[in-house]
Amino acid sequence: METDPTHQPPTTTTTTTDQLDEDGCYVALTHDHLNAQSIIDHVRSPAAGAIVLFAGTTRDNFTGKPVKELQYTAYAALALRSMLSIAKSVRTKHDLKGIAMVHRLGVVPIGEESILIAVSSAHRQAAWRAGEEALEECKARVEVWKREEFGGDEGGVWRANRDGIPGQNVAEKEAGAQVDGHALGMS
């Protein structure tokens, strides 16, 4: 069967940011640099006496090992729904005027932001508590994974996006999969 050279498959335009915005809750995943002013503007309200912004950055080491960069990946549709659920829950619990969470995907070099969380409330104490709770819930529940790329010959480690939980070296994991495949007669 000959293909028609004039028929081309449809193309899709992809955006670098996936987002949801409902009821004073804004969440997004992006491959772009994060903009603190933009996220603050999402939560700004004349009824707010406080805005708290958390910026999580890539540090240069993990447990003493030099880190070259972080790489983030996500199950985007599910991660956005999880982020929105967290935002709505935290907004209601702390009577926030607004909450915004943006997580960066792809490569995040040392010193650059991987996550921004902004909250606004009538009073500062609620904003402080809500910001921390939103971050901890995001790290515990959102379907985002990170690869720490170490300097030197160590390679990289994939891990859940949680503090201090060691991952498995990528090369070791791939070698283990090959060994398991041979042991099961799958390769």
Side-chain angles (χ1 to χ4, degrees):
M1 181 175 166
E2 227 172 278
T3 58
D4 178 359
T6 61
H7 176 70
Q8 296 295 318
T11 58
T12 57
T13 304
T14 57
T15 61
T16 57
T17 303
D18 293 318
Q19 60 191 359
L20 297 173
D21 194 353
E22 295 180 14
D23 304 322
C25 300
Y26 174 82
V27 298
L29 297 170
T30 185
H31 284 87
D32 296 334
H33 285 88
L34 300 184
N35 181 317
Q37 187 60 55
S38 174
I39 195 169
I40 288 171
D41 291 344
H42 276 286
V43 302
R44 191 172 303 283
S45 166
I51 294 176
V52 169
L53 172 69
F54 171 81
T57 60
T58 301
R59 65 179 169 268
D60 65 0
N61 73 86
F62 178 75
T63 63
K65 294 180 191 175
V67 172
K68 187 173 91 178
E69 66 188 18
L70 296 180
Q71 300 168 20
Y72 289 91
T73 188
Y75 179 2
L78 191 54
L80 284 169
R81 286 195 304 268
S82 296
M83 290 169 74
L84 186 61
S85 173
I86 291 164
K88 286 180 174 182
S89 174
V90 169
R91 182 173 185 255
T92 300
K93 179 178 177 181
H94 295 281
D95 194 27
L96 299 178
K97 304 306 174 193
I99 180 170
M101 298 190 295
V102 180
H103 205 299
R104 186 168 166 188
L105 301 176
V107 174
V108 181
I110 302 298
E112 292 188 16
E113 292 78 16
S114 56
I115 188 167
L116 295 176
I117 298 175
V119 298
S120 63
S121 67
H123 304 284
R124 70 182 179 278
Q125 290 176 337
W128 284 117
R129 287 191 299 270
E132 183 173 17
E133 183 177 327
L135 173 65
E136 296 306 325
E137 286 295 308
C138 187
K139 290 182 90 46
R141 296 179 33 205
V142 175
E143 295 77 12
V144 172
W145 298 271
K146 68 180 171 184
R147 176 183 163 127
E148 289 180 324
E149 193 64 38
F150 297 111
D153 296 331
E154 286 202 53
V157 174
W158 280 105
R159 72 176 85 244
N161 192 23
R162 291 163 183 74
D163 289 333
I165 298 174
Q168 185 173 3
N169 183 286
V170 175
E172 290 172 8
K173 188 173 186 173
E174 289 169 354
Q178 290 174 353
V179 169
D180 290 345
H182 287 301
L184 297 172
M186 297 167 63
S187 294

